[in-house]
Structures are given as structure tokens and as C-alpha cells.
Amino acid sequence: MIRLEFEPANFSLVKDDSLKAAPAFLLGFLAVERSIVKMKIRNTLHLTWMQVGGARMFRRDYLVRLIEDMTQMIAKVFSLKQERKHTEALWELDELFKRQFRLNSELLRSLSAADIEQLFRSHGYLEADKLQSAARLMEEEASLLLELEREEEAVMLYTKVFQLYLKSALQGADLKLIGLTERIGMVRERLRSYAWPETAMRDYYAYMEQQGMYAEAENILYQLLDNGKMEYGEAVQFYQRLQLKLPEDLAKGGLPLEEVHEGMDELKRRFPHEAVNGDKSLT
């Protein structure tokens, strides 16, 4: 038999054999209450699903409108660049920053990539698609600064853009929204001749592994090791993760399984003391 237990804020249904002899009207009452509870649960779940679905649709519509606005602005900026009206183009970008993100270009140039990232966090969640969209406008601004021969400012801004693009990709941004994969590659080429911050190196290493570009990830890994920016144990974990991959996936990523084993052996040769201590800790 089922008994209703009432508490100050809720009630629960519990098993109770002492109600076997309950009157018929009470049993009927309990059956009705159970039906009501089930109906409320179904309605709540349905409402929650509608709210979540509605929020997703609203977010998607917002992003579509944002990209349309950005596309028109970038076309306008390109036209102004052709006319050598770089200052006007910078003004136009600044207006779009204010309209879409309630930010301005001067503020974004003054902040670090990590600080900018925080501006796009809400309740601990990174709005990765909004972040990559803002970074796309910053990339356009960097190109204008470069044409104005303000190289130092341009390189600093390109570096922030690179970091924000990588962070967006690592946090699940829609890669097709602005062609994020291609944009990361283009900005990387812009920065090929310049030193990267450690955070950018680490994020690029993680991004390469995430994208299945294992040979490139290994190259960055050794750069980090050589510069003292990565510990031996972290490098070992990289090869251990690769050993769990399918051989065909490793080959596609430019690092066949035999080269993964060779990489692990090379790591132990370069760090013999750490390798011995690491092996002991595993036994």
C-alpha cells in the first residue's frame, strides 16, 4: 500500500503495509493523488524541455543575426580599406562592437586575452560562439592596424585573436559559424615570425590534439619541453592518450603508432632521471 507523507514544502510516496485495511474512499483518494503527481511531473518535464529548446532557438537566432551584421560590416570595412579610409573603417568596427557586445575597441586592446574571455562568461559558462564572433571583428581591426603600419599594435591584437579563437574551439564553439578552423590557420600564419605566449602555445597544442593533428601537437609539445614550459609527466600522458587511438586515426594525424612508441622512447632518453622515477611510481 502507498501512504502520503506530508512535509513543510513537499510530500513523498512511501510503502506502508499498515494501510491494507484502509477504506475504499481513501484508496481512491490515493490513486487520484498519484495520478496528479505523475501529471505534474510530466508537465514540468515538458515545460523544461520547451524552455531549453526555446533558449537554444533564441541563441541560434541571435547568432545568425550577429553573423549577418558582421558580414555586412566586414564588407563595408573592406570597401573602406580599398578607398584607403582606414580611420573610418576603425570607427565602423568600434560601433559594431558597441552595438553587439557593449564593448569598445580601445577597451579590448587594453585587456589581456584571459580578461576578454572572462567578459564572455556567464554563470561560469563560456559563450564560445559569441567569443569567436568578437574575435573575428578584432582580427579585422588588426588587419587595419597593420595597413596603417602600426605593426606592434597589430601583432599584439593578432595574438589575442589567436588565443581567443583557440579558446573558443576548445570550449565547443561552432567551427562553421565563421570558418573557425580556417581563421585559426590564417592568424597562425600571421604570427609565424613572432614569439607566442605560453598560454597560446599550450592552447594550440591542445587544439591540435583535439583536431587529430597529432604530428603538429607533438612538435608543439617538444617546444614546450625545450622551453621548460611542460613537465615530463604531462608529455608522457600525451603519448599514453595516443596509444589508445586507432592506428588509422594516428596515421591520418601524421603520427603512426610506431612513431608514437618512438616518441615515448625519445622522451625517456631525453629525460632519463624523470623516466626512472616515473617508472618507479607506476610499479
Side-chain angles (χ1 to χ4, degrees):
M1 186 63 63
I2 302 296
R3 181 180 77 248
L4 284 173
E5 284 190 352
F6 289 91
E7 296 180 1
N10 62 349
F11 65 85
S12 59
L13 301 176
V14 298
K15 190 89 172 183
D16 188 358
D17 293 334
S18 66
L19 294 180
K20 288 181 178 179
F25 78 88
L26 180 56
L27 298 180
F29 168 76
L30 292 173
V32 170
E33 287 297 322
R34 291 181 65 187
S35 299
I36 292 173
V37 170
K38 290 181 180 179
M39 182 174 65
K40 286 182 177 179
I41 291 173
R42 285 197 298 269
N43 289 342
T44 300
L45 291 174
H46 181 64
L47 178 59
T48 301
W49 180 86
M50 290 180 64
Q51 289 171 338
V52 172
R56 287 176 177 171
M57 289 182 63
F58 175 81
R59 175 175 171 273
R60 190 67 193 178
D61 289 344
Y62 165 79
L63 290 172
V64 169
R65 290 194 302 271
L66 172 59
I67 295 304
E68 289 175 351
D69 205 0
M70 285 175 52
T71 301
Q72 293 175 7
M73 179 58 68
I74 290 172
K76 186 174 183 179
V77 167
F78 178 79
S79 178
L80 289 170
K81 285 166 66 175
Q82 295 294 101
E83 299 172 15
R84 312 298 296 175
K85 296 180 179 179
H86 297 91
T87 302
E88 291 86 340
L90 288 171
W91 288 344
E92 292 289 345
L93 285 174
D94 192 52
E95 285 301 313
L96 185 56
F97 273 122
K98 292 175 182 176
R99 186 167 66 250
Q100 292 290 357
F101 305 108
R102 298 180 182 179
L103 300 169
N104 61 70
S105 301
E106 185 177 356
L107 173 64
L108 293 173
R109 285 199 298 269
S110 69
L111 295 176
S112 67
D115 289 335
I116 296 172
E117 178 191 334
Q118 291 303 313
L119 296 176
F120 288 84
R121 285 191 176 276
S122 177
H123 305 290
Y125 167 75
L126 179 64
E127 297 181 274
D129 286 330
K130 286 183 66 176
L131 181 61
Q132 68 164 323
S133 301
R136 177 66 185 91
L137 294 181
M138 292 170 65
E139 181 189 351
E140 201 63 32
E141 183 179 358
S143 72
L144 284 167
L145 294 174
L146 199 60
E147 290 194 18
L148 288 169
E149 299 183 352
R150 294 161 60 178
E151 182 179 356
E152 185 176 348
E153 292 178 75
V155 170
M156 289 180 63
L157 196 54
Y158 271 127
T159 302
K160 292 179 189 179
V161 169
F162 187 53
Q163 292 175 270
L164 297 176
Y165 276 161
L166 290 172
K167 189 64 67 176
S168 299
L170 290 171
Q171 293 295 318
D174 183 347
L175 299 181
K176 297 180 180 179
L177 194 65
I178 62 168
L180 186 55
T181 302
E182 292 76 15
R183 302 239 64 87
I184 288 174
M186 292 173 67
V187 177
R188 179 184 179 279
E189 286 302 309
R190 288 280 194 184
L191 296 172
R192 178 178 289 277
S193 302
Y194 301 92
W196 299 355
E198 179 187 345
T199 52
M201 291 281 288
R202 281 187 162 276
D203 283 345
Y204 186 63
Y205 155 73
Y207 171 72
M208 285 290 97
E209 183 180 353
Q210 180 194 72
Q211 296 300 304
M213 307 294 289
Y214 303 122
E216 181 65 11
E218 184 186 47
N219 291 338
I220 301 298
L221 176 143
Y222 274 99
Q223 291 181 43
L224 289 167
L225 283 170
D226 292 341
N227 293 327
K229 303 300 183 181
M230 179 179 285
E231 299 293 333
Y232 168 82
E234 190 175 350
V236 169
Q237 290 173 5
F238 168 73
Y239 287 111
Q240 289 175 338
R241 289 194 298 272
L242 293 193
Q243 289 172 355
L244 300 176
K245 304 290 183 182
L246 294 173
E248 52 266 35
D249 290 338
L250 292 173
K252 186 178 179 180
L255 201 65
L257 183 58
E258 59 269 23
E259 293 187 19
V260 172
H261 294 309
E262 290 171 5
M264 180 70 87
D265 292 338
E266 173 64 20
L267 196 62
K268 291 179 178 180
R269 281 195 296 269
R270 293 181 60 172
F271 301 90
H273 179 71
E274 289 85 349
V276 170
N277 291 335
D279 291 342
K280 287 181 179 179
S281 67
L282 292 175
T283 59

